Amino acid sequence: MLILYALIMVLPRYYYSLKDTVNLEGVVKEVFVDSVENFKTKHVALRMILLDSGSEKIIVLGPPWFFEELPKVGDTCEVKGSVFRSERTEIVVARSIYNLRLKRGVVIRSQNGFPLWTKQEGMMYRERIREKGEWRRGKSTR
């Protein structure tokens, strides 16, 4: 029983799935920080109203220190990400976000869904992009 409890405590609350990806556009209604995966890690999340349907979605971005500038309430943003569904909720784990007000975007996860704030994945991804001459943090994702 103790082992089962330990496994439950380390399972992620959400993850990126390549099978269920979406492209969304919406207006930011709230920016907040949420605890992730039962650890002390905190991630920035957005509450957005989608332009096409008027429905509300929670978008999980990544740790606050990864971003030079976060969207503000009222900003219109385009998000590419993966839908994660549980019994209680449905959230979108962002791979990239483009802020129309700032006219800038940030790639948050690699094409395989791995977070770029991790040391190994981030270094490998930046090297591939740098070789192409495209890497700038906060560069447009368009």
Side-chain angles (χ1 to χ4, degrees):
M1 184 64 127
L2 184 58
I3 294 172
L4 179 60
Y5 179 74
L7 283 173
I8 291 171
M9 292 305 289
V10 297
L11 289 174
R13 279 189 24 200
Y14 42 79
Y15 62 92
Y16 194 94
S17 169
L18 297 174
K19 295 179 183 177
D20 200 2
T21 59
V22 293
N23 295 319
L24 306 171
E25 186 173 359
V27 177
V28 176
K29 292 298 177 190
E30 181 183 4
V31 180
F32 58 98
V33 178
D34 185 23
S35 294
V36 176
E37 300 178 2
N38 297 317
F39 293 106
K40 294 180 182 179
T41 306
K42 304 258 185 193
H43 282 196
V44 175
L46 309 175
R47 186 177 313 279
M48 288 179 59
I49 303 298
L50 301 183
L51 295 180
D52 63 349
S53 66
S55 63
E56 184 178 284
K57 291 284 184 198
I58 300 296
I59 314 293
V60 176
L61 300 180
W65 53 263
F66 185 75
F67 301 93
E68 291 178 3
E69 186 170 0
L70 291 169
K72 296 185 182 344
V73 172
D75 285 356
T76 300
C77 295
E78 296 171 351
V79 175
K80 294 179 183 181
S82 170
V83 178
F84 177 79
R85 293 175 183 89
S86 71
E87 299 157 358
R88 295 177 287 151
T89 189
E90 178 180 295
I91 62 170
V92 176
V93 179
R95 183 174 109 61
S96 65
I97 183 167
Y98 183 82
N99 187 319
L100 296 173
R101 175 182 61 85
L102 297 174
K103 294 182 174 49
R104 298 193 327 188
V106 177
V107 176
I108 304 166
R109 293 174 176 270
S110 71
Q111 290 179 342
N112 293 325
F114 293 104
L116 296 181
W117 61 85
T118 62
K119 186 175 181 180
Q120 182 177 0
E121 188 65 29
M123 284 179 9
M124 290 187 319
Y125 186 80
R126 283 191 286 274
E127 285 304 314
R128 286 195 304 267
I129 297 299
R130 192 174 291 127
E131 288 171 5
K132 296 178 182 179
E134 301 173 359
W135 173 259
R136 278 188 200 74
R137 191 162 176 209
K139 181 179 187 239
S140 170
T141 55
R142 287 188 169 194

